[in-house]
């Protein structure tokens, strides 16, 4: 691919050669189909269009120094998609089928996997939608699973560089007993105004508190939050945040590095006690946090005094990337090599 400027990719959509599709009809999943068409032809009464019967996932493939292609923890994404399906009454796609689809779509678009040196990756976007026609509020009887890929660069400005975030109280992303723990499109629709407010005011992303009490930390836009202090990695325990696979991996790596790991509610005031903090996710990787502003309370929690990523963020970031790109051993079998 001579004409792609791999080192300057943004986090955006680019057409690739193929996507993979699979229909659920008559109570069973069909075969995986390789497709070069970018559009879907669906019924106007499909439940995904009206009642938000839509789930998606996000994972990445990386080209190693050794030329091999690695995908990070696809089984975990398959399991989270199954949990989302349970949450909004869609049929679960078996892990094996999910992983087979990931392999198929990555292989078919191999020429779009950014080279190792670029630091970019291939973003893999699976989605599952209700396509059966329905006017009453009920789950569909037919579903379509699609998986496409697109080469991407950093999600937050500057890649591994600190950014400011802002607490938004005007809008909630998800309720405590709502769909926040599932990866459904509706959560992202609910986040659009908060996200725009934050961007318009010059912030990297919006920062959510729990919707009920507005007291505890939930998430940083489309990424989980973690803070580090006193040799402890602390991340929120909340029923309204997405269980991030990146965060789960970082908790393990932090423990391996000798940090204590705590998953518990984090009150807003505790922000001022962290020595380091970051937003983490597949797209974000680790985006170190410079400060978090609470405009209504005229407070600014400055986390990075010198504007630089802290040493633990740096170590965790490099360790995670080294496993993902195959530069270091993969002791937990997180990586699937595609050949
Ligand atoms: N939180 C939200 C709301 C997200 O959309 C994402 C992205 O998937 C994450 C957190 C990070 O999750 P993961 O690390 O599994 O990508
Ligand atoms: C991800 O990190 O995979 C995300 O889904 C973030 C965002 C693009 C929704």
């Amino acid at each position: 691919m001579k004409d792609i400027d791999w080192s300057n990719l943004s986090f955006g959509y680019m057409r690739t050669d193929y996507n993979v599709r699979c229909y659920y009809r008559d109570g069973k999943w069909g075969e995986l189909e390789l497709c070069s068409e970018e559009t879907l032809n669906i019924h106007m009464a499909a439940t995904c269009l009206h009642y938000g019967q839509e789930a998606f996932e996000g994972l990445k493939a990386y080209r190693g120094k050794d030329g091999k292609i690695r995908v990070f923890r696809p089984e975990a994404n398959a399991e989270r998609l199954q949990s989302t399906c349970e949450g909004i009454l869609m049929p679960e796609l078996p892990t094996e089928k999910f992983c087979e689809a990931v392999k198929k779509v990555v292989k078919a678009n191999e020429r779009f996997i950014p080279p190792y040196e670029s630091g970019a990756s291939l973003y893999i976007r699976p989605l599952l939608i209700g396509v059966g026609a329905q006017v009453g509020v009920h789950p569909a009887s037919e579903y379509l699973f699609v998986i496409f890929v697109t080469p991407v660069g950093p999600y937050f400005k500057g890649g591994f560089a600190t950014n400011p975030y802002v607490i938004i109280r005007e809008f909630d992303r998800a309720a405590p007993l709502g769909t926040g723990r599932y990866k459904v499109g509706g959560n992202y629709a609910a986040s659009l105004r908060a996200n725009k407010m934050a961007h318009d005011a010059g912030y990297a992303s919006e920062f959510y508190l729990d919707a009920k009490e507005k007291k505890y930390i939930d998430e940083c836009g489309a990424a989980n939050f973690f803070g580090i202090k006193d040799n402890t990695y602390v991340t929120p325990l909340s029923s309204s945040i997405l269980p991030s696979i990146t965060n789960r991996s970082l908790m393990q790596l932090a423990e391996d590095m000798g940090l204590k790991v705590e998953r518990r509610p984090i009150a807003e005031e505790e922000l001022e006690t962290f020595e380091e903090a970051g937003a983490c996710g597949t797209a974000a990787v680790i985006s170190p946090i410079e400060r978090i502003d609470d405009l209504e309370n005229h407070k600014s929690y400055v986390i990075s005094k010198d504007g630089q990523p802290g040493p633990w963020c740096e170590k965790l970031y490099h360790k995670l990337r080294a496993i993902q790109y195959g530069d270091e051993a993969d002791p937990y079998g997180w990586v699937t090599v595609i050949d």
Side-chain angles (χ1 to χ4, degrees):
M1 298 294 289
K2 281 193 223 63
D3 46 352
I4 297 181
D5 185 2
W6 299 110
S7 301
N8 290 305
L9 286 172
S10 63
F11 193 88
Y13 177 77
M14 179 189 295
R15 183 180 183 145
T16 56
D17 291 334
Y18 297 101
N19 55 83
V20 168
R21 303 180 184 195
C22 183
Y23 282 93
Y24 179 90
R25 290 186 183 117
D26 303 320
K28 54 182 187 299
W29 288 102
E31 295 301 312
L32 299 178
E33 299 165 24
L34 201 59
C35 182
S36 56
E37 179 61 54
E38 278 176 297
T39 56
L40 307 174
N41 186 12
I42 58 172
H43 197 286
M44 62 188 172
T47 59
C48 64
L49 298 176
H50 300 259
Y51 305 131
Q53 251 202 328
E54 189 273 353
F56 70 101
E57 271 302 329
L59 62 164
K60 281 176 173 172
Y62 309 83
R63 172 81 69 185
K65 215 185 276 177
D66 55 7
K68 288 187 184 161
I69 308 163
R70 291 172 175 82
V71 179
F72 191 66
R73 305 193 77 171
E75 303 83 6
N77 291 91
E79 284 162 19
R80 188 169 63 191
L81 179 61
Q82 288 156 9
S83 154
T84 301
C85 287
E86 196 186 344
I88 61 166
L89 298 183
M90 303 202 290
E92 292 178 20
L93 186 74
T95 302
E96 204 177 292
K97 196 140 206 148
F98 180 95
C99 292
E100 202 187 314
V102 168
K103 277 188 197 168
K104 201 176 175 81
V105 76
V106 170
K107 266 200 88 68
N109 294 291
E110 193 172 338
R111 68 191 186 107
F112 291 94
I113 306 173
Y116 173 80
E117 300 72 34
S118 67
S121 55
L122 188 75
Y123 188 70
I124 307 168
R125 171 53 63 86
L127 62 142
L128 174 53
I129 55 176
V131 292
Q134 191 77 259
V135 181
V137 182
H138 302 291
S141 53
E142 292 192 2
Y143 294 83
L144 171 59
F145 175 71
V146 183
I147 178 162
F148 67 82
V149 296
T150 188
V152 294
Y155 188 64
F156 289 121
K157 213 169 79 192
F160 189 68
T162 64
N163 275 303
Y165 294 79
V166 64
I167 291 174
I168 301 281
R169 283 200 175 72
E170 286 91 332
F171 309 105
D172 293 320
R173 188 190 86 94
L177 299 178
T179 54
R181 82 191 86 154
Y182 307 124
K183 205 160 167 65
V184 297
N187 296 338
Y188 298 81
S191 77
L192 290 174
R193 287 189 68 186
N195 183 271
K196 180 169 169 15
M197 271 177 86
H199 281 138
D200 287 352
Y203 293 94
S205 177
E206 74 282 19
F207 200 91
Y208 294 104
L209 299 179
D210 77 284
K212 190 173 174 190
E213 296 189 67
K214 298 279 190 203
K215 195 171 164 206
Y216 300 99
I217 291 160
D218 253 1
E219 292 196 81
C220 324
N224 272 187
F225 171 85
F226 68 86
I228 297 176
K229 61 175 180 182
D230 307 328
N231 286 314
T232 310
Y233 179 105
V234 193
T235 194
L237 181 69
S238 162
S239 62
S240 49
I241 64 177
L242 191 77
S244 156
I245 294 157
T246 311
N247 196 6
R248 208 201 305 167
S249 311
L250 291 174
M251 284 187 250
Q252 181 66 60
L253 298 178
E255 204 179 291
D256 296 350
M257 290 173 185
L259 291 173
K260 246 177 49 189
V261 172
E262 291 179 3
R263 238 175 121 204
R264 56 169 172 78
I266 304 174
E268 181 189 331
E269 305 75 60
E270 197 178 337
L271 284 176
E272 62 196 359
T273 68
F274 288 115
E275 294 149 21
E276 297 182 37
C280 66
T282 297
V285 194
I286 288 180
S287 182
I289 296 178
E290 182 207 335
R291 63 173 209 277
I292 300 162
D293 290 347
D294 183 345
L295 301 176
E296 276 157 76
N297 288 338
H298 308 287
K299 282 193 121 163
S300 183
Y301 302 97
V302 179
I303 291 171
S304 169
K305 309 280 184 286
D306 61 0
Q308 297 304 310
W312 282 115
C313 280
E314 190 115 22
K315 266 179 90 166
L316 286 165
Y317 175 81
H318 289 298
K319 184 74 191 175
L320 179 67
R321 302 269 293 178
I323 295 174
Q324 291 171 333
Y325 282 88
D327 292 334
E328 285 186 30
D330 170 29
Y332 300 104
W334 287 340
V335 161
T336 297
V337 174
I338 295 187
D339 38 38

